[in-house]
Amino acid sequence: MASVVQKYGGSAVTSPEQIRKIAQRIIQSYNDCNDVVVVISARAGETNRLIEMAQEICPRQAGSQYDLLISAGEQVSIGLLALCISSLGYKVKTYLGWQVPIITDSLHTRASIEYIDPTKIRVDLNHGAIVLVAGFQGIDRSGTITTLGRGGGDTSAVALAHALGAEVCELYSDVDGIFTADPAICENARKINEISYDEMLELASQGARGVQIRAIEYAKKHNVTMHIRSAFTAERGTLVVKEHMPMEGVVVTGIVADKNEAKIAVLGVPDKPGSAAKILTGLADKDISVDMIVQNVGQDGLADITFSISKTDLDKAHQITAQIAKEVNAREVLADRNISKVSIVGLGMKNHAGVAARMFTALAYNNINIQMISTSEIKVSVAIEEKYTELAVRVLHEAFKVDQCSE
C-alpha cells in the first residue's frame, strides 16, 4: 500500500458539516488502498482565542505553560474528526505530538523538529487504522510540550511524511493551489501544476499563501513531494517538487505582491564604517527583520540609508532607528507606510538575461516608480507606492506572458 500524509488547516474543520466532508475524503483515500496519516490544525480562530485569553489573564507571558495552552486547539480537532470517522465504521488511532513522539528543541512557541519516531504509527497502519496526529506541537527531550510557530501544522505533516517515507504530503486549505498571480487581482492568473522548492520558497517569502516557509525548507532538505490543494474540492492542486529543467521560454513562474511593507529612510548619515551596522544591529536585537536595503554613495561625508520592514514593526522600528540616528549624528529619519513589494519569481531567470530590465521597463511605461530593489538568482523584488500594487501585478503578468506558460 502507498503511504499518504494529509494535512487539513483550521478552515477545513470549523463546522460539523465540514468535518464530515473531511472524514469522507480521508476514508476515500483509505479505500483507494493507501495508508493514511492525517495532521489536523486547530479550528479556525481557536488558537487566537486561546492567545487572547492568555493575554487577558497575564499579558506578555510565554514559555512552557504558554505552549501547553495554545497546543490545546489541535486536540479538539483530532477528537472531533476521530469521532466522525469511527461513527462511519472505520478504525482510527489518535496521537498528540508528545505521544508519537515528535521530538523538538526547547525553543518555546517556535520549536524546530529534531526527530520523529514513527514506530507506533507504523504498527497502527499495519493493523488497518487511519492515524490522526495533532499538528503544530511536539515535546522536547525533557518531556515538556512545545509548539512550532504559526502554520506549524504544515511542518508537522512534511516531517511525518519524511519519517514514514510517504509518497506525497497533501496540504489541504482554503486555496486551490499556487497561481501565477493572485486571481483576485489578475483575472488571467492560472494555477501552476508543478513548481520547484526554490520557486515556492521565494513566492512564500514574498507573500504568497498556501504553505508555511519552514515546511517548504524541510521538504526541500528531505525531498518530500508536497501537493497544495483545496479542502473543499476534488481538483488537483500544485505539486512542489525537486528542481528540474524549466520549460523552454518560461522565464517567470509567478508574480506576488505584499502590502505588509513599510519604509524607513535615515538621511545624512556620516559616511564611515559601522554607521549602517549600528542601525541594523539595533533593529535585529529587537527581533525586527529588514528586507530591502539601499545606501547611496556618500557626498560631503554623508549618505542616506533606506530599508523596508513589515508594517506591523514600523512604529517600533521608527523609534529605535530615531534613537540610533541621534547617536550616529544622522540628520533626519523618515517613515513611510504607503509602500508595497511586488516580486517576480522563476527558475528560468537563471538562464535569461535582461529580466530585471524588462520588469523595470514595463513598470516605467505605466508610470510606476521603483523605490527599492532586491534580487536573488530566481527573484526580483521592487518596492513601489502601495496604490499601484494591483496595477503592477497585472502589468508584469502581461509583460512576461505568465498565463501562457503555466500549463
Side-chain angles (χ1 to χ4, degrees), residues 30 35 67 82 87-88 120 128 130 132 136 151 164 173 202 233 251 257 291 316 329 340 344 359 363 373 384 397:
Y30 176 84
D35 287 332
D67 272 354
S87 71
L88 295 171
K120 289 186 285 187
I130 296 170
L132 309 183
F136 173 64
L164 293 164
S173 66
E202 290 286 12
T233 72
V251 179
D291 188 4
K316 183 178 178 181
N329 296 315
S340 66
I344 58 173
M359 178 185 191
L363 294 175
I373 302 166
I384 62 173
H397 201 268

Side-chain angles (χ1 to χ4, degrees), residues 197-275:
Y197 297 122
D198 286 337
E199 288 173 313
M200 191 65 243
L201 274 169
E202 290 286 12
L203 287 173
S205 67
Q206 304 308 313
R209 296 175 58 223
V211 60
Q212 188 202 42
I213 292 175
R214 284 171 62 190
I216 306 168
E217 294 172 338
Y218 198 104
K220 178 184 176 181
K221 180 179 179 180
H222 299 287
N223 198 27
V224 176
T225 297
M226 296 187 295
H227 188 181
I228 302 169
R229 58 192 308 189
S230 171
F232 307 107
T233 72
E235 292 184 8
R236 185 181 188 274
T238 300
L239 290 176
V240 185
V241 297
K242 187 176 180 180
E243 178 181 336
H244 57 80
M245 292 300 294
M247 290 184 295
E248 185 68 26
V250 178
V251 179
V252 172
T253 300
I255 298 161
V256 62
D258 185 2
K259 290 187 175 182
N260 185 32
E261 291 280 321
K263 179 179 71 173
I264 292 179
V266 188
L267 309 180
V269 181
D271 190 17
K272 59 183 181 180
S275 296

Side-chain angles (χ1 to χ4, degrees), residues 180 190 249-252 255 358 394-406:
T180 54
R190 300 179 71 173
V250 178
V251 179
V252 172
I255 298 161
R358 188 173 168 187
R394 290 191 290 268
V395 163
L396 295 173
H397 201 268
E398 173 60 27
F400 288 97
K401 307 296 181 185
V402 184
D403 59 314
Q404 300 177 19
C405 306
S406 60

Side-chain angles (χ1 to χ4, degrees), residues 21-317:
K21 288 181 179 178
I22 295 304
Q24 291 287 357
R25 170 166 275 180
I26 293 167
I27 289 169
Q28 180 62 54
S29 183
Y30 176 84
N31 287 338
D32 289 339
C33 297
N34 292 310
D35 287 332
V36 182
V37 177
V38 181
V39 175
I40 301 293
S41 295
R43 302 170 80 183
E46 180 64 12
T47 302
N48 285 339
R49 186 182 71 85
L50 294 172
I51 291 172
E52 289 169 3
M53 289 175 60
Q55 294 301 316
E56 182 179 352
I57 295 170
C58 45
R60 296 179 295 279
Q61 295 296 310
S64 59
Q65 291 80 16
Y66 185 82
D67 272 354
L68 175 66
L69 171 68
I70 65 173
S71 66
E74 281 71 18
Q75 183 169 346
V76 174
S77 293
I78 64 169
L80 291 170
L81 185 58
L83 288 171
C84 188
I85 293 173
S86 295
S87 71
L88 295 171
Y90 289 81
K91 186 177 181 179
V92 63
K93 179 70 176 180
T94 59
Y95 289 97
L96 300 180
W98 66 268
Q99 293 174 308
V100 176
I102 298 174
I103 306 299
T104 74
D105 60 23
S106 299
L107 190 59
H108 288 288
T109 72
R110 45 191 176 131
S112 295
I113 295 173
E114 294 182 346
Y115 172 72
I116 295 178
D117 184 351
T119 304
K120 289 186 285 187
I121 293 178
R122 291 188 188 280
V123 171
D124 294 325
L125 294 173
N126 289 337
H127 284 86
I130 296 170
V131 178
L132 309 183
V133 180
F136 173 64
Q137 59 185 251
I139 187 171
D140 68 14
R141 294 187 181 276
S142 69
T144 304
I145 290 174
T146 58
T147 60
L148 308 181
R150 299 311 293 263
D154 290 349
T155 304
S156 300
V158 171
L160 277 166
H162 171 244
L164 293 164
E167 279 73 10
V168 66
C169 179
E170 300 177 338
L171 302 177
Y172 292 89
S173 66
D174 57 355
V175 299
D176 294 333
I178 305 302
F179 284 75
T180 54
D182 185 345
I185 296 175
C186 185
E187 64 179 13
N188 294 327
R190 300 179 71 173
K191 186 161 54 183
I192 302 168
N193 289 333
E194 193 171 288
I195 192 170
S196 72
Y197 297 122
D198 286 337
E199 288 173 313
M200 191 65 243
L201 274 169
E202 290 286 12
L203 287 173
S205 67
Q206 304 308 313
R209 296 175 58 223
V211 60
Q212 188 202 42
I213 292 175
R214 284 171 62 190
I216 306 168
E217 294 172 338
Y218 198 104
K220 178 184 176 181
K221 180 179 179 180
H222 299 287
N223 198 27
V224 176
T225 297
M226 296 187 295
H227 188 181
I228 302 169
R229 58 192 308 189
S230 171
F232 307 107
T233 72
E235 292 184 8
R236 185 181 188 274
T238 300
L239 290 176
V240 185
V241 297
K242 187 176 180 180
E243 178 181 336
H244 57 80
M245 292 300 294
M247 290 184 295
E248 185 68 26
V250 178
V251 179
V252 172
T253 300
I255 298 161
V256 62
D258 185 2
K259 290 187 175 182
N260 185 32
E261 291 280 321
K263 179 179 71 173
I264 292 179
V266 188
L267 309 180
V269 181
D271 190 17
K272 59 183 181 180
S275 296
K278 189 167 185 177
I279 294 170
L280 299 178
T281 299
L283 295 170
D285 288 344
K286 298 299 182 180
D287 292 323
I288 296 175
S289 297
V290 172
D291 188 4
M292 292 179 273
I293 304 172
V294 175
Q295 180 171 345
N296 69 352
V297 177
Q299 295 181 351
D300 300 324
L302 299 175
D304 298 335
I305 301 171
T306 306
F307 55 86
S308 66
I309 54 173
S310 70
K311 277 187 172 69
T312 51
D313 287 332
L314 179 59
D315 292 338
K316 183 178 178 181

